[in-house]
Amino acid sequence: MNFKKQITMVKTFLLLGFLTLQTIAMAMPPKKLPEFNIIPLPVSVVKSAGTFKLTEKSTIYISGESAEIQQIGKYLADKLNPATGFAIAVKSSEGNQSAGNIYLSLSSDDATIGDEGYQLIVKQNIIKLTARKPAGLFNGIQTIRQLLPAKIEMSAPQAGPWVIPSVTIRDYPEYPFRAVMLDVARHFFQVDDVKRYIDLMAGYKMNVMHLHLSDDQGWRIEIKKWPKLTSIGGSSQVGGGKGGFYTQEQYADIVKYAAERYIMIIPEIDMPGHTNAALASYPELNCNDKATEIYTGTEVGFSTLCTGKELTYQFIADVFGELASLTPGPYLHIGGDESHVTKLEDYIPFVNRVQEIVAATGKQVIGWDEIALSSVKPKSFVQFWAKADNALKGVKQGAKVIMSPAAKAYLDMQYDKSSKLGLHWAGYIEVDTGYNWDPAKLVPGIGRENILGIEAPLWTETVTNMNELEYMVFPRLPGYAEIGWSAPAARSWNEYKLRLGKHGERFKALRINYYPSKLVPWSAPVSK
Ligand code: TNX
C-alpha cells in the first residue's frame, strides 16, 4: 500500500471513530441535568437540604421604609397572589426573622454583584433576598418566580403546594445592556401591548426596550411643535391599516411602567432615510417643497430628509428636544440606516450635525452601524446589525458597540422555511442559532471591552398583532436574555435547551403564543 493510501485509510478510520463517538454522545443524556431551570443561568447556584413553603400566612418583609423597596415588595406580592389565591402583604421588617416569610433588603457588602446583582438564600422556611440596588432586588424576584412551580404565573387560583427547595444563588449580569427593540412604525402596537412585552422581558432580566418610533410607514410619537407628524404621518401603517401614535402622556406612561420594572426606554427617530411619514406630513421638509404620499408598502431605502435645508435641522432639534424631555434615560437613537438615496457626502455631515443636536439636549447618541461612516463621538454608540466594517470603524473612533447581528439576533427572521410570519433576508434563525453565539467572538476586532451589550430587534413588516409578536419573540427571547446575562463559558445549547423546555409550562401559564420548536424538549403542558 502506498503512503497516500495509508493516510486516506487512517483518515477514514478517524472519521468513522469520531462519527461513532458523536452518535453515542448525542444519544446519551447530558451528565448533569439542570436541577433548577433558571433562565438566564445564574453565576452560582448551590442546593442545600430543606424547603421553603409559601402559605397564606407568608408575608413579604422589607427593610426600611423606602417607597421604592415597598413598590418592589408589592410587585412580588402581585406576582404571587393571583395563582396562590393568598393575600400576601408587604410590611416593614422589625429586625427578627420568622418562619414562612420572604425578606427583601439592601446591603452593600458584596461589591462584585454590582447594581443589578443579587444574593438569594432559600433555606428551611425562610427566603432572604439581598442586593446593593433596587434593580438587583427586582432581578432576584424574577429568580424567585422561576423557582416556584410554573402555575405561579397563572392569573386564577391554582392548587398548591408552593414549595421551593433550599438553595443559595449569587448572581449578576455579564453585560449591563440587555435589550429588545420593537418596531411600532411598520405596524402600530397599543400601549397595553407594549406593557405586556415589557412584563415578559422583565421576567428574563432584560433591562432595555428600544422603540422604533418612526419610519416610512408611520410616525408614532406626538411632537407638539410639529402636530401633523402624527395627524398625517401616524394615520396609516403597512398594508394600509389605521396606524396610530402615542400621545406624550401615553409615552410617559410607558416610560414609567418600564422604569418600575427597571427597564430603560430608548426612543428612536430614524433619519435621514426611513422618513417618508415625516415627508408626507410636511411639504417643507422635502427639497422640492412637495409632500410625498403616505406609504404602506415594505420597501426600504427610498426616502431622505433634505440635508441641505436649515429647516431640517430645526425640525430635528425640536423633535429630539421634546423626546429628550420625555426620556429619563441617557440615550436617543438617531437611526441612520439604509439611507440609500442620501449621497454619502451629504450623509456624513448630516450625521455629524445630528450628533451635535443630540449632545445639546444632554443625551448620548445611538445609531445603526452606518453612522460610523461619519465621525462618531466617543460617547456615541454604534449598533452593529449588518456591516462589521462599519462597526469596526466605530470601535476605532472609540465608540462602544451594541450587538444586534441580523443573522443571529433579528426576531423578525423566520425560524425555518415553514414559518409563515417573518422575513429571511438575513437567514433563518432557529432557536439554537439564536442562542449559539458569543457577542465578544463574532467580529474579529470587536471584543468584550468594546461591547455595551446585546439587543434583539423585532421589525414588524409582517407582524401585525400581539399574538404574532409573541410567536416571533418566544422562545427566542430567553436565549438573548441569557447571552446578555450569563458568562459565555457557562453556556451550552445542549444544557440550555433542557431548561428552555421546562419554560414551555411558564409560557402556557402566561398565555404566551410561542413557536414550539422541534429542537426543544418541551415538558408536559400545565393543566388549564
Ligand atoms: C433592515 S435593520 C432594516 C429595517 C427593516 C429590517 C427588516 C435596519 C437597521 N434596517 O428597516 O425593517 O431590515 O428585517
Side-chain angles (χ1 to χ4, degrees):
M1 199 183 325
N2 70 25
F3 185 63
K4 264 193 187 158
K5 264 196 179 156
Q6 274 184 29
I7 295 268
T8 319
M9 273 182 66
V10 171
K11 273 191 186 161
T12 314
F13 271 120
L14 283 176
L15 184 68
L16 279 175
F18 174 73
L19 286 177
T20 319
L21 281 176
Q22 220 187 19
T23 319
I24 294 171
M26 271 160 45
M28 278 191 333
K31 272 191 224 100
K32 225 177 116 242
L33 283 168
E35 233 172 317
F36 299 98
N37 297 292
I38 303 164
I39 300 177
L41 190 70
V43 172
S44 123
V45 179
V46 180
K47 195 174 184 254
S48 51
T51 56
F52 170 89
K53 191 170 169 194
L54 194 71
T55 70
E56 65 279 355
K57 293 199 194 100
S58 299
T59 299
I60 297 166
Y61 283 103
I62 57 166
S63 63
E65 309 271 328
S66 136
E68 188 172 2
I69 311 299
Q70 178 79 35
Q71 200 188 329
I72 292 175
K74 169 101 171 30
Y75 172 92
L76 175 57
D78 288 347
K79 293 289 170 217
L80 302 178
N81 286 334
T84 57
F86 303 156
I88 295 170
V90 183
K91 294 183 183 158
S92 279
S93 157
E94 282 120 38
N96 285 346
Q97 299 189 338
S98 52
N101 300 319
I102 302 177
Y103 292 85
L104 310 182
S105 67
L106 290 182
S107 112
S108 50
D109 291 355
D110 188 353
T112 52
I113 65 173
D115 290 356
E116 291 193 279
Y118 62 92
Q119 184 171 40
L120 177 66
I121 300 174
V122 181
K123 58 183 183 188
Q124 191 65 41
N125 261 346
I126 228 157
I127 292 185
K128 282 199 268 184
L129 175 62
T130 54
R132 288 166 63 82
K133 291 279 159 62
L137 290 178
F138 186 81
N139 286 326
I141 285 174
Q142 308 315 321
T143 299
I144 294 176
R145 288 170 69 186
Q146 292 190 15
L147 289 170
L148 283 159
K151 60 191 174 190
I152 194 68
E153 302 300 343
M154 297 184 81
S155 48
Q158 307 294 310
W162 305 97
V163 174
I164 302 183
S166 291
V167 65
T168 297
I169 296 178
R170 219 176 131 262
D171 200 13
Y172 52 86
E174 175 78 8
Y175 290 101
F177 187 105
R178 305 173 304 280
V180 299
M181 187 211 80
L182 177 59
D183 170 9
V184 294
R186 268 53 176 270
H187 281 99
F188 184 62
F189 286 80
Q190 301 292 337
V191 172
D192 282 348
D193 290 339
V194 177
K195 286 183 175 175
R196 175 162 163 88
Y197 197 3
I198 287 171
D199 277 325
L200 296 177
M201 66 185 279
Y204 290 97
K205 304 186 178 84
M206 294 187 105
N207 64 354
V208 178
M209 177 179 269
H210 162 188
L211 288 175
H212 184 75
L213 291 169
S214 70
D215 212 302
D216 292 317
Q217 299 87 343
W219 185 286
R220 308 299 180 203
I221 178 73
E222 176 191 16
I223 300 295
K224 307 252 190 213
K225 285 192 187 139
W226 297 76
K228 286 196 278 180
L229 288 171
T230 42
S231 64
I232 296 175
S235 67
S236 192
Q237 60 182 7
V238 167
K242 69 176 174 18
F245 65 92
Y246 309 122
T247 63
Q248 294 201 352
E249 289 68 30
Q250 286 175 318
Y251 181 79
D253 181 41
I254 292 174
V255 169
K256 177 167 172 283
Y257 190 85
E260 285 165 1
R261 285 150 187 79
Y262 297 89
I263 289 170
M264 167 171 62
I265 299 289
I266 298 180
E268 175 186 353
I269 300 295
D270 204 345
M271 60 184 66
H274 291 279
T275 41
N276 185 71
L279 297 169
S281 307
Y282 286 97
E284 58 270 40
L285 290 176
N286 295 271
C287 286
N288 64 4
D289 289 314
K290 286 205 183 85
T292 58
E293 296 290 314
I294 291 218
Y295 183 68
T296 60
T298 59
E299 296 296 315
V300 295
F302 60 85
S303 58
T304 183
L305 289 173
C306 187
T307 57
K309 264 193 185 177
E310 215 31 50
L311 180 73
T312 298
Y313 300 95
Q314 187 53 52
F315 165 74
I316 294 168
D318 290 343
V319 169
F320 280 132
E322 290 189 31
L323 263 185
S325 63
L326 290 167
T327 302
Y331 308 122
L332 296 179
H333 201 304
I334 65 169
D337 59 312
E338 299 174 319
S339 288
H340 301 324
V341 295
T342 320
K343 290 197 190 94
L344 191 59
E345 63 260 37
D346 297 332
Y347 178 87
I348 291 171
F350 173 87
V351 170
N352 286 339
R353 189 154 169 198
V354 173
Q355 287 187 89
E356 298 295 340
I357 293 172
V358 170
T361 71
K363 304 290 185 191
Q364 287 164 261
V365 162
I366 302 177
W368 298 107
D369 60 47
E370 290 95 325
I371 70 157
L373 297 168
S374 71
S375 320
V376 290
K377 289 174 174 284
K379 281 178 110 190
S380 294
F381 293 85
V382 171
Q383 186 165 5
F384 169 57
W385 68 281
K387 292 217 172 88
D389 278 355
N390 287 343
L392 281 165
K393 280 198 179 84
V395 166
K396 291 206 181 91
Q397 297 181 72
K400 282 211 175 193
V401 180
I402 296 163
M403 296 297 280
S404 301
K408 300 280 184 197
Y410 266 28
L411 288 164
D412 66 316
M413 289 300 117
Q414 296 177 321
Y415 291 100
D416 64 19
K417 291 205 168 94
S418 70
S419 300
K420 294 203 174 67
L421 297 168
L423 307 171
H424 55 257
W425 63 264
Y428 296 97
I429 307 184
E430 245 297 355
V431 188
D432 58 345
T433 305
Y435 179 81
N436 250 332
W437 60 285
D438 177 351
K441 296 233 173 83
L442 199 69
V443 180
I446 304 182
R448 177 74 183 75
E449 66 285 4
N450 309 118
I451 297 173
L452 178 66
I454 139 168
E455 178 176 308
L458 180 67
W459 302 97
T460 58
E461 285 95 333
T462 66
V463 180
T464 70
N465 59 40
M466 202 52 192
N467 222 33
E468 295 175 353
L469 179 152
E470 289 175 15
Y471 192 80
M472 298 310 284
V473 168
F474 283 91
R476 288 183 288 202
L477 177 137
Y480 299 123
E482 181 149 310
I483 294 175
W485 182 280
S486 310
R491 298 200 286 112
S492 92
W493 164 254
N494 278 331
E495 185 273 342
Y496 169 73
K497 72 178 179 195
L498 304 175
R499 275 183 289 128
L500 182 59
K502 292 281 186 191
H503 279 241
E505 299 171 35
R506 281 169 206 279
F507 299 160
K508 289 205 166 110
L510 288 161
R511 283 179 278 115
I512 296 173
N513 178 36
Y514 68 99
Y515 161 65
S517 169
K518 291 196 180 66
L519 304 182
V520 179
W522 300 107
S523 59
V526 279
S527 51
K528 284 267 160 68

